[in-house]
mmCIF file of all heavy atoms in Angstrom:
data_model
loop_
_atom_site.group_PDB
_atom_site.id
_atom_site.type_symbol
_atom_site.label_atom_id
_atom_site.label_comp_id
_atom_site.label_asym_id
_atom_site.label_seq_id
_atom_site.Cartn_x
_atom_site.Cartn_y
_atom_site.Cartn_z
ATOM 1 N N LEU A 26 -24.551 -33.000 -20.632
ATOM 2 C CA LEU A 26 -24.196 -31.587 -20.550
ATOM 3 C C LEU A 26 -24.110 -31.117 -19.102
ATOM 4 O O LEU A 26 -24.946 -31.474 -18.271
ATOM 5 C CB LEU A 26 -25.237 -30.752 -21.298
ATOM 6 C CG LEU A 26 -25.138 -30.756 -22.817
ATOM 7 C CD1 LEU A 26 -26.392 -30.136 -23.421
ATOM 8 C CD2 LEU A 26 -23.900 -30.003 -23.283
ATOM 9 N N LYS A 27 -23.079 -30.315 -18.828
ATOM 10 C CA LYS A 27 -22.900 -29.719 -17.508
ATOM 11 C C LYS A 27 -22.785 -28.207 -17.671
ATOM 12 O O LYS A 27 -22.458 -27.706 -18.744
ATOM 13 C CB LYS A 27 -21.627 -30.262 -16.848
ATOM 14 C CG LYS A 27 -21.601 -31.779 -16.668
ATOM 15 C CD LYS A 27 -20.304 -32.224 -16.015
ATOM 16 C CE LYS A 27 -20.272 -33.731 -15.813
ATOM 17 N NZ LYS A 27 -19.012 -34.175 -15.141
ATOM 18 N N THR A 28 -23.062 -27.485 -16.606
ATOM 19 C CA THR A 28 -22.906 -26.036 -16.638
ATOM 20 C C THR A 28 -21.750 -25.621 -15.739
ATOM 21 O O THR A 28 -21.621 -26.119 -14.623
ATOM 22 C CB THR A 28 -24.199 -25.319 -16.200
ATOM 23 O OG1 THR A 28 -23.977 -23.901 -16.201
ATOM 24 C CG2 THR A 28 -24.654 -25.767 -14.823
ATOM 25 N N PRO A 29 -20.877 -24.725 -16.205
ATOM 26 C CA PRO A 29 -19.754 -24.292 -15.378
ATOM 27 C C PRO A 29 -20.145 -23.269 -14.324
ATOM 28 O O PRO A 29 -19.358 -22.980 -13.431
ATOM 29 C CB PRO A 29 -18.790 -23.680 -16.402
ATOM 30 C CG PRO A 29 -19.686 -23.171 -17.479
ATOM 31 C CD PRO A 29 -20.819 -24.164 -17.561
ATOM 32 N N GLY A 30 -21.343 -22.695 -14.434
ATOM 33 C CA GLY A 30 -21.783 -21.710 -13.450
ATOM 34 C C GLY A 30 -22.582 -20.590 -14.075
ATOM 35 O O GLY A 30 -22.723 -20.493 -15.299
ATOM 36 N N ASP A 31 -23.089 -19.714 -13.227
ATOM 37 C CA ASP A 31 -23.939 -18.619 -13.683
ATOM 38 C C ASP A 31 -23.167 -17.494 -14.345
ATOM 39 O O ASP A 31 -23.769 -16.572 -14.894
ATOM 40 C CB ASP A 31 -24.735 -18.046 -12.504
ATOM 41 C CG ASP A 31 -25.781 -19.018 -11.980
ATOM 42 O OD1 ASP A 31 -26.186 -19.922 -12.747
ATOM 43 O OD2 ASP A 31 -26.186 -18.876 -10.798
ATOM 44 N N PHE A 32 -21.850 -17.518 -14.294
ATOM 45 C CA PHE A 32 -21.073 -16.405 -14.830
ATOM 46 C C PHE A 32 -21.259 -16.225 -16.336
ATOM 47 O O PHE A 32 -20.961 -15.165 -16.880
ATOM 48 C CB PHE A 32 -19.581 -16.593 -14.507
ATOM 49 C CG PHE A 32 -18.914 -17.721 -15.248
ATOM 50 C CD1 PHE A 32 -18.220 -17.486 -16.421
ATOM 51 C CD2 PHE A 32 -18.986 -19.027 -14.764
ATOM 52 C CE1 PHE A 32 -17.597 -18.529 -17.100
ATOM 53 C CE2 PHE A 32 -18.365 -20.069 -15.436
ATOM 54 C CZ PHE A 32 -17.676 -19.819 -16.608
ATOM 55 N N LEU A 33 -21.766 -17.258 -17.017
ATOM 56 C CA LEU A 33 -21.964 -17.170 -18.465
ATOM 57 C C LEU A 33 -23.372 -16.727 -18.851
ATOM 58 O O LEU A 33 -23.708 -16.720 -20.027
ATOM 59 C CB LEU A 33 -21.677 -18.527 -19.123
ATOM 60 C CG LEU A 33 -20.212 -18.956 -19.234
ATOM 61 C CD1 LEU A 33 -20.118 -20.362 -19.813
ATOM 62 C CD2 LEU A 33 -19.425 -17.973 -20.089
ATOM 63 N N LYS A 34 -24.200 -16.334 -17.886
ATOM 64 C CA LYS A 34 -25.606 -16.075 -18.194
ATOM 65 C C LYS A 34 -25.782 -14.936 -19.183
ATOM 66 O O LYS A 34 -26.771 -14.895 -19.923
ATOM 67 C CB LYS A 34 -26.385 -15.789 -16.912
ATOM 68 C CG LYS A 34 -25.949 -14.551 -16.151
ATOM 69 C CD LYS A 34 -26.743 -14.399 -14.858
ATOM 70 C CE LYS A 34 -26.298 -13.171 -14.064
ATOM 71 N NZ LYS A 34 -27.063 -13.047 -12.798
ATOM 72 N N GLU A 35 -24.846 -13.984 -19.234
ATOM 73 C CA GLU A 35 -24.960 -12.871 -20.169
ATOM 74 C C GLU A 35 -24.058 -13.045 -21.386
ATOM 75 O O GLU A 35 -23.900 -12.126 -22.184
ATOM 76 C CB GLU A 35 -24.630 -11.555 -19.455
ATOM 77 C CG GLU A 35 -25.655 -11.192 -18.385
ATOM 78 C CD GLU A 35 -25.230 -10.000 -17.550
ATOM 79 O OE1 GLU A 35 -24.035 -9.914 -17.219
ATOM 80 O OE2 GLU A 35 -26.086 -9.171 -17.239
ATOM 81 N N ASN A 36 -23.491 -14.230 -21.529
ATOM 82 C CA ASN A 36 -22.606 -14.506 -22.660
ATOM 83 C C ASN A 36 -23.400 -14.683 -23.947
ATOM 84 O O ASN A 36 -24.487 -15.247 -23.956
ATOM 85 C CB ASN A 36 -21.782 -15.762 -22.385
ATOM 86 C CG ASN A 36 -21.099 -16.326 -23.623
ATOM 87 O OD1 ASN A 36 -21.352 -17.461 -24.001
ATOM 88 N ND2 ASN A 36 -20.267 -15.536 -24.263
ATOM 89 N N ALA A 37 -22.822 -14.218 -25.047
ATOM 90 C CA ALA A 37 -23.377 -14.463 -26.377
ATOM 91 C C ALA A 37 -22.252 -14.294 -27.389
ATOM 92 O O ALA A 37 -21.266 -13.616 -27.130
ATOM 93 C CB ALA A 37 -24.520 -13.501 -26.691
ATOM 94 N N HIS A 38 -22.402 -14.938 -28.517
ATOM 95 C CA HIS A 38 -21.477 -14.781 -29.636
ATOM 96 C C HIS A 38 -20.064 -15.273 -29.327
ATOM 97 O O HIS A 38 -19.081 -14.579 -29.547
ATOM 98 C CB HIS A 38 -21.454 -13.342 -30.125
ATOM 99 C CG HIS A 38 -22.794 -12.817 -30.518
ATOM 100 N ND1 HIS A 38 -23.542 -13.393 -31.522
ATOM 101 C CD2 HIS A 38 -23.546 -11.796 -30.021
ATOM 102 C CE1 HIS A 38 -24.701 -12.740 -31.636
ATOM 103 N NE2 HIS A 38 -24.727 -11.783 -30.728
ATOM 104 N N GLY A 39 -19.978 -16.502 -28.820
ATOM 105 C CA GLY A 39 -18.699 -17.172 -28.735
ATOM 106 C C GLY A 39 -18.015 -17.114 -27.391
ATOM 107 O O GLY A 39 -18.304 -16.247 -26.566
ATOM 108 N N LEU A 40 -17.109 -18.064 -27.195
ATOM 109 C CA LEU A 40 -16.239 -18.075 -26.025
ATOM 110 C C LEU A 40 -15.004 -18.876 -26.360
ATOM 111 O O LEU A 40 -14.949 -19.587 -27.362
ATOM 112 C CB LEU A 40 -16.950 -18.645 -24.798
ATOM 113 C CG LEU A 40 -17.539 -20.056 -24.827
ATOM 114 C CD1 LEU A 40 -16.475 -21.132 -24.641
ATOM 115 C CD2 LEU A 40 -18.588 -20.208 -23.747
ATOM 116 N N SER A 41 -13.988 -18.745 -25.523
ATOM 117 C CA SER A 41 -12.745 -19.476 -25.706
ATOM 118 C C SER A 41 -12.169 -19.751 -24.324
ATOM 119 O O SER A 41 -12.290 -18.912 -23.418
ATOM 120 C CB SER A 41 -11.768 -18.652 -26.543
ATOM 121 O OG SER A 41 -10.562 -19.347 -26.790
ATOM 122 N N VAL A 42 -11.536 -20.912 -24.149
ATOM 123 C CA VAL A 42 -11.049 -21.324 -22.844
ATOM 124 C C VAL A 42 -9.549 -21.597 -22.933
ATOM 125 O O VAL A 42 -9.091 -22.338 -23.803
ATOM 126 C CB VAL A 42 -11.791 -22.581 -22.342
ATOM 127 C CG1 VAL A 42 -11.346 -22.923 -20.923
ATOM 128 C CG2 VAL A 42 -13.311 -22.375 -22.388
ATOM 129 N N SER A 43 -8.784 -21.002 -22.038
ATOM 130 C CA SER A 43 -7.331 -21.169 -22.047
ATOM 131 C C SER A 43 -6.940 -22.514 -21.449
ATOM 132 O O SER A 43 -7.774 -23.266 -20.944
ATOM 133 C CB SER A 43 -6.668 -20.034 -21.256
ATOM 134 O OG SER A 43 -6.928 -20.179 -19.870
ATOM 135 N N LEU A 44 -5.644 -22.778 -21.479
ATOM 136 C CA LEU A 44 -5.138 -24.056 -20.998
ATOM 137 C C LEU A 44 -5.427 -24.267 -19.518
ATOM 138 O O LEU A 44 -5.674 -25.391 -19.070
ATOM 139 C CB LEU A 44 -3.631 -24.136 -21.255
ATOM 140 C CG LEU A 44 -2.961 -25.505 -21.135
ATOM 141 C CD1 LEU A 44 -3.547 -26.485 -22.143
ATOM 142 C CD2 LEU A 44 -1.454 -25.376 -21.349
ATOM 143 N N ASN A 45 -5.422 -23.199 -18.733
ATOM 144 C CA ASN A 45 -5.681 -23.342 -17.298
ATOM 145 C C ASN A 45 -7.157 -23.222 -16.940
ATOM 146 O O ASN A 45 -7.512 -23.153 -15.763
ATOM 147 C CB ASN A 45 -4.854 -22.334 -16.500
ATOM 148 C CG ASN A 45 -5.287 -20.898 -16.738
ATOM 149 O OD1 ASN A 45 -6.286 -20.641 -17.397
ATOM 150 N ND2 ASN A 45 -4.525 -19.953 -16.205
ATOM 151 N N GLY A 46 -8.038 -23.174 -17.963
ATOM 152 C CA GLY A 46 -9.469 -23.192 -17.718
ATOM 153 C C GLY A 46 -10.137 -21.842 -17.597
ATOM 154 O O GLY A 46 -11.325 -21.768 -17.276
ATOM 155 N N THR A 47 -9.417 -20.749 -17.871
ATOM 156 C CA THR A 47 -10.030 -19.428 -17.816
ATOM 157 C C THR A 47 -10.875 -19.191 -19.064
ATOM 158 O O THR A 47 -10.404 -19.391 -20.187
ATOM 159 C CB THR A 47 -8.961 -18.324 -17.702
ATOM 160 O OG1 THR A 47 -8.221 -18.530 -16.491
ATOM 161 C CG2 THR A 47 -9.589 -16.951 -17.676
ATOM 162 N N TYR A 48 -12.112 -18.771 -18.849
ATOM 163 C CA TYR A 48 -13.031 -18.465 -19.946
ATOM 164 C C TYR A 48 -12.856 -17.012 -20.380
ATOM 165 O O TYR A 48 -12.814 -16.095 -19.556
ATOM 166 C CB TYR A 48 -14.482 -18.637 -19.494
ATOM 167 C CG TYR A 48 -15.019 -20.040 -19.495
ATOM 168 C CD1 TYR A 48 -14.639 -20.956 -18.518
ATOM 169 C CD2 TYR A 48 -15.941 -20.449 -20.456
ATOM 170 C CE1 TYR A 48 -15.160 -22.253 -18.492
ATOM 171 C CE2 TYR A 48 -16.486 -21.738 -20.441
ATOM 172 C CZ TYR A 48 -16.084 -22.621 -19.459
ATOM 173 O OH TYR A 48 -16.606 -23.902 -19.434
ATOM 174 N N TYR A 49 -12.788 -16.788 -21.688
ATOM 175 C CA TYR A 49 -12.863 -15.453 -22.283
ATOM 176 C C TYR A 49 -14.108 -15.411 -23.151
ATOM 177 O O TYR A 49 -14.341 -16.326 -23.951
ATOM 178 C CB TYR A 49 -11.622 -15.157 -23.123
ATOM 179 C CG TYR A 49 -10.400 -14.816 -22.294
ATOM 180 C CD1 TYR A 49 -9.697 -15.810 -21.622
ATOM 181 C CD2 TYR A 49 -9.955 -13.501 -22.185
ATOM 182 C CE1 TYR A 49 -8.576 -15.503 -20.849
ATOM 183 C CE2 TYR A 49 -8.835 -13.184 -21.417
ATOM 184 C CZ TYR A 49 -8.156 -14.186 -20.752
ATOM 185 O OH TYR A 49 -7.061 -13.879 -19.987
ATOM 186 N N PHE A 50 -14.906 -14.343 -23.022
ATOM 187 C CA PHE A 50 -16.179 -14.325 -23.733
ATOM 188 C C PHE A 50 -16.741 -12.911 -23.798
ATOM 189 O O PHE A 50 -16.402 -12.049 -22.968
ATOM 190 C CB PHE A 50 -17.184 -15.256 -23.047
ATOM 191 C CG PHE A 50 -17.366 -14.991 -21.575
ATOM 192 C CD1 PHE A 50 -18.389 -14.176 -21.111
ATOM 193 C CD2 PHE A 50 -16.498 -15.554 -20.635
ATOM 194 C CE1 PHE A 50 -18.546 -13.930 -19.761
ATOM 195 C CE2 PHE A 50 -16.655 -15.315 -19.279
ATOM 196 C CZ PHE A 50 -17.677 -14.498 -18.837
ATOM 197 N N PRO A 51 -17.601 -12.632 -24.780
ATOM 198 C CA PRO A 51 -18.330 -11.371 -24.800
ATOM 199 C C PRO A 51 -19.539 -11.484 -23.885
ATOM 200 O O PRO A 51 -20.192 -12.524 -23.847
ATOM 201 C CB PRO A 51 -18.786 -11.229 -26.264
ATOM 202 C CG PRO A 51 -18.306 -12.432 -26.982
ATOM 203 C CD PRO A 51 -17.862 -13.430 -25.980
ATOM 204 N N PHE A 52 -19.812 -10.443 -23.119
ATOM 205 C CA PHE A 52 -21.038 -10.449 -22.334
ATOM 206 C C PHE A 52 -21.780 -9.138 -22.576
ATOM 207 O O PHE A 52 -21.186 -8.101 -22.884
ATOM 208 C CB PHE A 52 -20.792 -10.701 -20.843
ATOM 209 C CG PHE A 52 -19.788 -9.806 -20.185
ATOM 210 C CD1 PHE A 52 -20.179 -8.652 -19.526
ATOM 211 C CD2 PHE A 52 -18.435 -10.139 -20.196
ATOM 212 C CE1 PHE A 52 -19.259 -7.840 -18.892
ATOM 213 C CE2 PHE A 52 -17.508 -9.330 -19.556
ATOM 214 C CZ PHE A 52 -17.914 -8.171 -18.907
ATOM 215 N N PHE A 53 -23.091 -9.232 -22.475
ATOM 216 C CA PHE A 53 -23.957 -8.146 -22.915
ATOM 217 C C PHE A 53 -24.814 -7.662 -21.752
ATOM 218 O O PHE A 53 -25.515 -8.437 -21.118
ATOM 219 C CB PHE A 53 -24.846 -8.621 -24.074
ATOM 220 C CG PHE A 53 -24.060 -8.889 -25.322
ATOM 221 C CD1 PHE A 53 -23.282 -10.039 -25.450
ATOM 222 C CD2 PHE A 53 -24.064 -7.978 -26.367
ATOM 223 C CE1 PHE A 53 -22.540 -10.274 -26.595
ATOM 224 C CE2 PHE A 53 -23.317 -8.207 -27.510
ATOM 225 C CZ PHE A 53 -22.559 -9.349 -27.631
ATOM 226 N N LYS A 54 -24.738 -6.384 -21.490
ATOM 227 C CA LYS A 54 -25.535 -5.748 -20.444
ATOM 228 C C LYS A 54 -26.367 -4.627 -21.076
ATOM 229 O O LYS A 54 -26.021 -4.107 -22.143
ATOM 230 C CB LYS A 54 -24.643 -5.184 -19.344
ATOM 231 C CG LYS A 54 -23.839 -6.251 -18.584
ATOM 232 C CD LYS A 54 -22.986 -5.622 -17.497
ATOM 233 C CE LYS A 54 -22.187 -6.671 -16.739
ATOM 234 N NZ LYS A 54 -23.076 -7.558 -15.955
ATOM 235 N N LYS A 55 -27.438 -4.240 -20.425
ATOM 236 C CA LYS A 55 -28.322 -3.212 -20.967
ATOM 237 C C LYS A 55 -27.571 -1.920 -21.263
ATOM 238 O O LYS A 55 -27.804 -1.258 -22.272
ATOM 239 C CB LYS A 55 -29.473 -2.948 -19.997
ATOM 240 C CG LYS A 55 -30.481 -4.090 -19.890
ATOM 241 C CD LYS A 55 -31.619 -3.737 -18.939
ATOM 242 C CE LYS A 55 -32.620 -4.888 -18.859
ATOM 243 N NZ LYS A 55 -33.739 -4.585 -17.923
ATOM 244 N N GLU A 56 -26.636 -1.577 -20.375
ATOM 245 C CA GLU A 56 -25.916 -0.323 -20.558
ATOM 246 C C GLU A 56 -24.963 -0.348 -21.752
ATOM 247 O O GLU A 56 -24.456 0.690 -22.179
ATOM 248 C CB GLU A 56 -25.135 0.046 -19.293
ATOM 249 C CG GLU A 56 -24.115 -0.989 -18.851
ATOM 250 C CD GLU A 56 -24.669 -1.962 -17.814
ATOM 251 O OE1 GLU A 56 -25.895 -2.222 -17.832
ATOM 252 O OE2 GLU A 56 -23.875 -2.462 -17.006
ATOM 253 N N ASP A 57 -24.721 -1.534 -22.318
ATOM 254 C CA ASP A 57 -23.848 -1.647 -23.482
ATOM 255 C C ASP A 57 -24.588 -1.423 -24.794
ATOM 256 O O ASP A 57 -23.977 -1.463 -25.872
ATOM 257 C CB ASP A 57 -23.194 -3.034 -23.523
ATOM 258 C CG ASP A 57 -22.274 -3.259 -22.338
ATOM 259 O OD1 ASP A 57 -21.668 -2.279 -21.875
ATOM 260 O OD2 ASP A 57 -22.171 -4.408 -21.884
ATOM 261 N N ASN A 58 -25.911 -1.247 -24.715
ATOM 262 C CA ASN A 58 -26.723 -1.030 -25.913
ATOM 263 C C ASN A 58 -26.559 -2.149 -26.946
ATOM 264 O O ASN A 58 -26.597 -1.923 -28.151
ATOM 265 C CB ASN A 58 -26.381 0.321 -26.559
ATOM 266 C CG ASN A 58 -26.723 1.491 -25.656
ATOM 267 O OD1 ASN A 58 -27.787 1.518 -25.035
ATOM 268 N ND2 ASN A 58 -25.823 2.457 -25.561
ATOM 269 N N GLY A 59 -26.340 -3.354 -26.446
ATOM 270 C CA GLY A 59 -26.285 -4.509 -27.334
ATOM 271 C C GLY A 59 -24.955 -4.758 -28.003
ATOM 272 O O GLY A 59 -24.820 -5.699 -28.774
#
């Protein structure tokens, strides 16, 4: 297992990666109320 970086630290509930390697994902912050 490898990690792509810290940018996913707030990710939860799925992700998807495009052909050129761009990650799309939900991220959760306190101000979003979950």
